[in-house]
């Protein structure tokens, strides 16, 4: 324990005297490597990367014996991400160090610091974004192994989680091919959408058409979509009768565009509400059509539009 305190003091002194953040990370990595650590990772004999592919998501998964699994995930409409899932809570929650290091059979190669990441109490212990995930993937392609080091929850020694680069290249090539075929958006991104309109207008802009095209592309790929609710709204300028008619025209414009792009008319539920459900005191915010996708098994909350025009209650 005294040795650990001494090394941490040295790290603070080095930083104070002008040492870089990278030097601090390397020092911590050296300390963790030289201390008796609980290490988890697949060996040469059981290193496997499994590719899961669809138009909705591409992922590469490696089982980490005794710990859980490591996942590179790329959802449609999003960037590459990486996360660790654990079946047991082995690491103390807090900040951990992530590096890309050489395997033991390649001595003399300095580790590359990736950065500090957060260890949580959730089943998904660690999650990182596109930058860190890309550095890790490129490291694996170059024969390196990404390694996460964090204090143990149960003793004073560190816990090290390493990803094996063995058998990575071929599944990664399949993953890259999968990514090229992903849909432009995912369900969460378009399940609730909004098309704005100019005052007194019911014309779709190019941006609106792109949004609707993405909705069509997604719905045609997802057979679980059973309803598309289209609700037209207006501002409160003018008579209520005129506003109701304008909101109906806007909803029909959206519905007709979706049908023209190939969606089944039976999927569409088209309604108009005039100025009944404002979302703002600003008129421009209330001139809109809201679109909501509903999957099989989801609660059919579609009888009445609520105040914001994006959620519905029965």
């Amino acid at each position: 324990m005294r040795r650990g305190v001494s090394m941490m003091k040295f790290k603070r002194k080095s930083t104070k005297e002008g040492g870089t953040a990278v030097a601090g990370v390397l020092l911590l990595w050296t300390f963790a490597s030289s201390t008796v650590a609980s290490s988890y990772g697949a060996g040469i004999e059981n290193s496997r990367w499994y590719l899961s592919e669809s138009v909705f998501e591409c992922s590469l998964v490696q089982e980490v014996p005794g710990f859980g699994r490591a996942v590179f995930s790329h959802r449609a409409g999003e960037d590459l991400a990486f996360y660790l899932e654990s079946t047991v809570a082995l690491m103390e929650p807090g900040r951990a160090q992530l590096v890309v290091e050489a395997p033991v059979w390649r001595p003399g190669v300095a580790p590359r610091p990736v950065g500090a990441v957060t260890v949580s109490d959730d089943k998904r212990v660690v999650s990182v974004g596109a930058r860190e995930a890309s550095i890790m993937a490129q490291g694996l392609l170059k024969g390196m192994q990404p390694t996460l080091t964090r204090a143990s929850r149960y003793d004073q020694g560190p816990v090290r989680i390493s990803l094996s680069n063995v058998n990575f290249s071929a599944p990664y090539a399949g993953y890259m091919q999968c990514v090229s075929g992903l849909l432009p958006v995912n369900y969460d991104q378009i399940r609730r959408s909004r098309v704005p309109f100019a005052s007194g207008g019911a014309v779709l802009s190019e941006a609106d058409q792109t949004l609707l095209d993405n909705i069509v592309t997604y719905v045609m790929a997802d057979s679980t979509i059973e309803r598309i609710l289209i609700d037209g709204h207006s501002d409160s300028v003018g008579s209520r009768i005129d506003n109701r008619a304008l909101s109906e025209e806007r909803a029909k414009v959206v519905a007709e565009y979706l049908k023209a792009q190939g969606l089944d008319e039976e999927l569409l539920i088209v309604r108009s509400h005039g100025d009944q459900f404002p979302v703002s005191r600003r008129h421009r915010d209330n001139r809109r059509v809201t679109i909501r996708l509903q999957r099989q098994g989801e609660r059919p909350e579609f009888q009445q539009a609520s105040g914001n025009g994006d959620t519905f209650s029965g």
Side-chain angles (χ1 to χ4, degrees):
M1 184 66 183
R2 290 182 60 85
R3 179 184 179 187
V5 172
S6 173
M7 292 296 287
M8 292 306 290
K9 285 182 178 179
F10 175 78
K11 176 187 172 184
R12 288 195 294 268
K13 179 179 179 182
S14 173
T15 303
K16 183 177 180 181
E17 292 177 355
T20 64
V22 171
V25 172
L26 293 178
L27 179 61
L28 181 58
W29 174 86
T30 302
F31 168 64
S33 300
S34 61
T35 307
V36 176
S38 299
S39 297
Y40 299 88
I44 296 177
E45 72 286 350
N46 61 353
S47 176
R48 298 287 185 275
W49 286 94
Y50 301 96
L51 172 62
S52 175
E53 52 187 328
S54 72
V55 295
F56 306 107
E57 182 176 1
C58 308
S59 61
L60 284 171
V61 181
Q62 182 175 77
E63 299 296 330
V64 182
F67 180 82
R69 64 178 194 153
V71 181
F72 288 96
S73 173
H74 196 144
R75 292 187 71 196
E78 297 181 7
D79 294 324
L80 173 66
F82 171 83
Y83 59 88
L84 277 174
E85 287 186 343
S86 180
T87 53
V88 289
L90 297 176
M91 294 183 288
E92 187 72 22
R95 303 294 280 176
Q97 293 300 326
L98 178 63
V99 301
V100 174
E101 63 183 15
V104 293
W105 57 86
R106 292 178 59 186
V109 180
R112 176 186 178 182
V114 179
V117 298
T118 300
V119 174
S120 74
D121 265 331
D122 300 330
K123 179 182 179 182
R124 189 167 291 189
V125 185
V126 171
S127 297
V128 301
R131 172 190 166 274
E132 295 85 354
S134 296
I135 293 174
M136 295 168 68
Q138 292 304 310
L140 287 164
L141 288 173
K142 295 176 182 178
M144 305 287 277
Q145 57 183 32
T147 300
L148 179 80
T149 304
R150 174 60 185 163
S152 171
R153 182 185 289 264
Y154 301 106
D155 56 47
Q156 297 179 357
V159 173
R160 285 167 50 84
I161 312 298
S162 296
L163 308 187
S164 172
N165 57 66
V166 178
N167 300 317
F168 179 76
S169 296
Y172 184 79
Y175 154 80
M176 291 299 293
Q177 184 174 358
C178 174
V179 168
S180 67
L182 285 172
L183 296 174
V185 291
N186 61 57
Y187 182 65
D188 293 333
Q189 291 173 330
I190 47 97
R191 63 182 300 183
R192 298 178 188 275
S193 302
R194 178 180 179 274
V195 177
F197 287 91
S199 178
V203 178
L204 297 173
S205 68
E206 289 187 12
D208 300 332
Q209 292 177 15
T210 297
L211 170 63
L212 297 178
D213 288 342
N214 286 340
I215 291 174
V216 170
T217 300
Y218 182 85
V219 172
M220 286 185 167
D222 188 348
S223 61
T224 68
I225 303 298
E226 64 178 7
R227 288 189 183 91
I228 302 175
L229 292 87
I230 302 170
D231 287 84
H233 301 268
S234 73
D235 59 30
S236 59
V237 178
S239 72
R240 289 209 159 183
I241 294 177
D242 290 342
N243 288 338
R244 183 62 177 264
L246 183 56
S247 69
E248 182 178 3
E249 182 182 0
R250 288 168 175 165
K252 286 183 176 179
V253 164
V254 170
E256 290 301 322
Y257 186 90
L258 294 176
K259 288 190 291 183
Q261 303 310 305
L263 285 193
D264 188 343
E265 184 175 3
E266 293 185 359
L267 287 174
L268 308 182
I269 297 178
V270 183
R271 305 177 301 178
S272 57
H273 307 281
D275 58 9
Q276 186 177 1
F277 299 109
V279 295
S280 170
R281 293 183 178 181
R282 296 180 299 184
H283 293 313
R284 66 183 183 184
D285 294 336
N286 298 320
R287 301 188 294 260
R288 71 207 189 274
V289 167
T290 59
I291 305 165
R292 180 186 172 212
L293 308 186
Q294 184 176 301
R295 278 175 165 167
Q296 296 170 3
E298 291 182 342
R299 184 179 176 185
E301 299 174 339
F302 63 91
Q303 294 183 13
Q304 179 179 336
S306 70
N308 64 12
D310 294 326
T311 56
F312 301 83
S313 58

